[in-house]
Amino acid sequence: MTGWADEGRAVDVVSLNFCKAFDTVSRNTLIRKLRKCGLDEWAVKWIENWLNGRAQRVVISSAESSWRPVTSGDPIPQGSVLGPVLFSFFTDDLDEELECTLSKFADDTKLGGVVDTPEGCAAIQPDLDRLESWTDRNLRKFHKGTGRVLHLGRNSPMHQYRLGADLLESISVERDLCVLVDDRLTMSQQCALVAKKSWDALGGVWPAGRGRFSFPSTLPW
């Protein structure tokens, strides 16, 4: 996408986020997909056994509660080594039949394509409809309120998209994996944010506009 923008093309990037990514994965669907991917049946049975019949307890200092069965949520244990791997298996077919570029990282999903041609503009919305259909088939949901569109490059048609019945908001800056990226693909806002946090940690006074920085009379060290 950055390559297209460097070539002077207009590019739209739609950012989507799964609701409770690990907590809402259907175990039966996951096991079916593991078999479909050709995983050895013994490995599938082992994973199925690992996911079912889970228990939990609370430990505070040396005090421990008794074990209790997990009756809701957490189909894929978070913080486990296998958790992200199994989630990747679950979303492996997310980009099937899509015409545009899809980027997947955990629960963050980005759909992008060149939109300086009528064909490019017409390709993104059907792909969004396919993603919505995928969530219906796999009992998942996207956060409707977090779906946003970043218009990159000059002469963008500023096309408006929808996810289901909801229109997606057009924005000028997006937080991508904790890094701020604006519609000019510059890192100036991210650099300013990091510099401000560093300056605050030193006890300095960050100016509202241009000007000199000032330290308090007593530093924190």
Side-chain angles (χ1 to χ4, degrees), residues 66-79:
S66 58
W67 288 97
R68 291 289 186 270
V70 178
T71 57
S72 63
D74 201 21
I76 295 182
Q78 299 189 45

Side-chain angles (χ1 to χ4, degrees), residues 37-70:
C37 290
L39 199 64
D40 179 83
E41 184 61 24
W42 284 106
V44 174
K45 288 292 186 182
W46 183 88
I47 293 173
E48 186 175 18
N49 182 266
W50 178 65
L51 292 174
N52 292 328
R54 300 190 62 82
Q56 64 183 9
R57 66 176 178 176
V58 177
V59 178
I60 302 177
S61 298
S62 58
E64 302 176 353
S65 70
S66 58
W67 288 97
R68 291 289 186 270
V70 178

Side-chain angles (χ1 to χ4, degrees), residues 13-19 94 98 102-112 124 127-132 135 141-150 161-164 166-169 174-177:
V13 181
V14 182
S15 298
L16 303 169
N17 187 276
F18 281 114
C19 295
L94 183 61
L98 296 187
L102 189 74
S103 173
K104 298 177 290 184
F105 185 87
D107 59 343
D108 292 311
T109 304
K110 289 177 176 58
L111 180 72
I124 293 183
D127 278 355
L128 285 171
D129 295 337
R130 294 185 183 97
L131 291 176
E132 182 77 355
T135 60
K141 288 183 180 180
F142 284 117
H143 275 294
K144 297 296 178 69
T146 58
R148 300 181 178 89
V149 185
L150 195 63
Y161 305 97
R162 58 176 173 76
L163 186 63
D166 299 325
L167 291 176
L168 299 180
E169 177 188 4
E174 171 70 357
R175 185 178 297 276
D176 183 17
L177 302 179

Side-chain angles (χ1 to χ4, degrees), residues 20 31 69 74 76 80 82 97 103 131 143 157 196 205 217:
K20 299 181 179 180
I31 296 303
D74 201 21
I76 295 182
S80 62
L82 274 182
E97 302 180 359
S103 173
L131 291 176
H143 275 294
K196 182 181 183 303
V205 179
S217 57

